[in-house]
Amino acid sequence: MKRPKKVVTEASQSFTFTRRALLLGGIQGGVGALLAGRLAWLSIAENERYALLSESNRVNLTLIPPRRGWIVDRNGKPIAINRTDFRVDLIPDRIVDKDKVLGDLQALLQLPDEEMERIRDDLEEAQGFKPVQVAEDLDWEKFAAVSVRLNELPGVSPMRGYSRFYPDGAAVGHLVGYVGAASAKQYDETKDPLLITPGFKVGKDGLEKTMEPMLRGTPGAKRVEVTARGKLVKELTTRSDIPGNTLKLTIDAGLQAYAARRLGTNSGSVVVIDVATGGLLAFVSMPSYDPNSFSDGISRDEWKMLSDDDHIPLMNKAVLGLYPPGSTVKPMNALALLEAGVDPNDRVVCSGAMRVGSGVFHCHKRGGHGPLDMKHAVMQSCDIYFYEMVRRLGYDRVAPVARAMGLGQEFELPLPSQRYGTVPDSSWKLRKYKQKWTVADSLNASIGQGYVLVNPLQMAVMAARLACGRQLLPSFFHGHGKPAAALPYTAEHFALVRDAMYGVVNEGGTGGAARMQVSGVALAAKTGTAQVRRITMAERAGGVLSNAALPFRMRDHAHFICFAPADNPRYAAAVVLEHGGHTVRNLDTPLTGRDIMTYLFDRERAMRSLLEVEPTWGGDIATRMAAKAEAWKLAKATPGPLPTSTPTPADPGANAAAAID
């Protein structure tokens, strides 16, 4: 069926047009409203955000590394400071002729080819005004040579900044550590642009590392206006950096340097404690490295020389070295015996050896000491006395006192790492080795051998606690010492032990060489020797080899703990010589400990004593290190084995020290 034809009238056409116009107008109005709303949102709500983006496109920000906070000693003397550093950077966008500029810089600064390769690689990755380091720690002549030729070197930016400097060099190496450029891992973890800013360095070891947040400071910023393509328009204001906080230590910088020098060619450590506060006055490990070399960028040769040295200069022996304490534990053992009810007047006859089962335990004095009471057993360091007394009681009665004196204890100190050693007992051995404790274990432990291991810091704490009778805690920070509670032992027993330690030095004991030469000041001490090898019965029968006849690694450790004044202790110390072996008298523990303690009461006398013997060791620390480096270079250029340690100097008084225990 055919549909009828629709008639289009003028009225219908008018209606259709009006409806379409309204629809289009509505759509246009809606779009306009959306655009107006969006415009309002961008111009009002998002105003700050886009203003910042616009500013970041217009202004290029270059961070200025902050000056690190100083580290000073208890008297305000600098230990780690900042000194003016001359450096040269390249601004990639300002370079006109890269090859010419790099060639001129290589000639002016005498840069090696491998360093130029590094600079070229950095330039390839750099953008805009991000600086690329060319050289740092320049001397004035090289810095001036670049500065006067700036018109010929577009893109070169010589700058004066700051670098870390340690006035006492190797003497404080293990105490403060050193600084260096941040690693890629550190940057990946934080994405902090400061970490990749040329000239910025972070703490890498010691206090520089553990106290980084306090020492770092806040960076400054240099602002320049640039075009959209990064071209320089003009320089704007510069925001100054805020230096880090000053760190004040309990350390006495003079004593620290003196103790490091007094150790001479030994491999060892010294820890000195203020008995009144627990403040650490000296914290020395030698040989050491010069932190200035590390902070400036150590060479591969110097690193290899240090890492191959059998005296281990890269290890902080004060807290990472673990040693059998030897006879230095005998005063502490005497305190344990007294607390267990042993009469100090009871005597034990020392014949030089003691048989237990099928084994024979020897005293250091082959012919024996005869009958000895407790005081004289400590004074003469008689092994047989302590063998017998601890055999009667069992070492489980001694171990708790050893721990209370600080052995095997962890101390809250800002150090990257510590090793705590072992104070063994029957439950410890059963837990660790699934074996029962034996009488032989007790005898070995009674003279600081066997399973007993301690670090030098713990030995110094033991000396300090014996001196004051309080649970004193070591501290590095001036004014942060904590009150120390009294130890749970009687004052009379402490007095008996201190009197015995006084006798070690002043009444014919094994430490007579340590007698103080300062009027009115007496030293109380205990010497010690710790074997590192087993002496066979065949060797005893044929004659035990002297330490001087043994290789360095086979010699006994030499120990010394002390406090002074003996009648009113103010300072306590521990001296540990790795493989010292009592082979050289003026490098042995008694004279070393005496001179270090003398420094606290009479500095002039202590310095005279040091200057008399230091030339026989090859000079002071810096002189010996320089001579050793030259010898290393010479040996490296000559076929044959490389040197590992400084030879021990000859000493006519060596035999006089050989009997010390």
Side-chain angles (χ1 to χ4, degrees), residues 153-180:
L153 300 170
V156 174
S157 175
M159 297 181 63
R160 293 190 184 193
Y162 295 93
S163 63
R164 207 58 160 167
F165 178 64
Y166 307 92
D168 291 320
V172 298
H174 290 293
L175 170 65
V176 298
Y178 61 95
V179 297

Side-chain angles (χ1 to χ4, degrees), residues 331-345:
M332 179 272 296
N333 287 350
L335 178 65
L337 296 177
L338 290 168
E339 291 293 324
V342 172
D343 187 335
N345 296 312

Side-chain angles (χ1 to χ4, degrees), residues 515-580:
R515 184 172 299 177
M516 295 279 280
Q517 298 173 333
V518 179
S519 177
V521 179
L523 185 70
K526 183 67 190 80
T527 56
T529 303
Q531 290 179 201
V532 298
R533 68 187 186 98
R534 183 177 180 83
I535 300 174
T536 64
M537 293 299 293
E539 186 178 348
R540 289 189 184 277
V544 178
L545 291 174
S546 68
N547 279 287
L550 294 170
F552 171 73
R553 282 302 201 180
M554 300 299 291
R555 297 174 187 170
D556 298 336
H557 300 311
H559 302 322
F560 189 77
I561 63 169
C562 61
F563 55 82
D567 56 350
N568 185 23
R570 177 62 195 277
Y571 306 110
V575 180
V576 174
L577 304 183
E578 270 189 351
H579 309 292

Side-chain angles (χ1 to χ4, degrees), residues 251-262:
I251 295 293
D252 182 325
L255 178 65
Q256 177 83 12
Y258 182 87
R261 290 175 64 182
R262 188 57 186 82

Side-chain angles (χ1 to χ4, degrees), residues 196-218:
I196 55 174
T197 300
F200 177 72
K201 294 181 179 179
V202 298
K204 292 288 189 176
D205 197 12
L207 293 175
E208 292 278 26
K209 179 179 180 179
T210 57
M211 302 306 296
E212 173 69 23
M214 178 180 180
L215 295 170
R216 178 178 292 188
T218 304

